[in-house]
Amino acid sequence: MTFDAVNLLMQNDNPFRALLIRSLAALVACVVAVVFSYYFVDRSVAFFVHEHRIASFEEFRWLTEPPPMVQGWSPLVLVLLAIRRAFAPWRVWQHTLFIACVSLIVADQFRESLGDICGRYWPETWHNNNPSLISTGAYGFHPFEFGDDTGSFPSRHSARIMGFASVFWLAMPRGRWLYVIIALPMLLALIAMNYHFVGDVIAGSVLGAIAGTWATQLSLVGVAADAKGSQNLLGTTVP
């Protein structure tokens, strides 16, 4: 069984080189989008959300709760799937779920490292009187200022969401409409709650998507051993 990667990688002798090129291109586009958002979008959206009390809608808060819950249960899921694999081959959804959980954890750790490097204040004050745009007028990046006060960028929730969803997007494309319906409201809820700036969500989403794409390719999701040999998610033969 193979999977449709919708021409994710350019066809050449080294798909990882093509994946690296596309990852770098995505990062460049992300930087451009984040810079534009920083100067022209982030502050106006944060003030709009605050002034119209959009965060008072409990439904938006509920939408932000699944990502950390999924990450919290991911280690147990990985253990159970590993035990299952010891006795029989995985089904497609089981293999995909295993890689999605790994991707989520890796994406979150990348976000942790970038959060310390970038050091951005939050839109709102949430704990211990942390500096924020709304409460204290604090706005901007303060590289290498470690701590929760400067952990807004990139969005951890966004990295988790896209790190998980992108694996399913690539490995099980028939359900893409469902992944959008699930992931997009959760991403928008982060902005609606003023948990993150628009640029934070963009950066976290790109980070998670890149992690998921690499995890999917490296894991050879959907490998099928048949007369033609094993195939990776791109449908190219693996020696």
Side-chain angles (χ1 to χ4, degrees), residues 31-68:
V31 169
V32 172
V34 168
V35 170
F36 179 85
S37 183
Y38 177 83
Y39 286 106
F40 302 107
V41 178
D42 287 351
R43 279 176 287 198
S44 58
V45 171
F47 282 122
F48 179 87
V49 169
H50 177 75
E51 291 168 1
H52 290 79
R53 301 181 60 83
I54 296 177
S56 63
F57 293 93
E58 281 293 301
E59 293 79 4
F60 288 127
R61 184 180 61 81
W62 297 339
L63 286 170
T64 67
E65 293 177 353

Side-chain angles (χ1 to χ4, degrees), residues 1-2 220-226 228-233 235-238:
M1 182 176 182
T2 60
L220 302 180
V221 172
V223 164
D226 55 22
K228 296 181 181 180
S230 296
Q231 294 182 318
N232 67 7
L233 70 101
T236 56
T237 300
V238 179

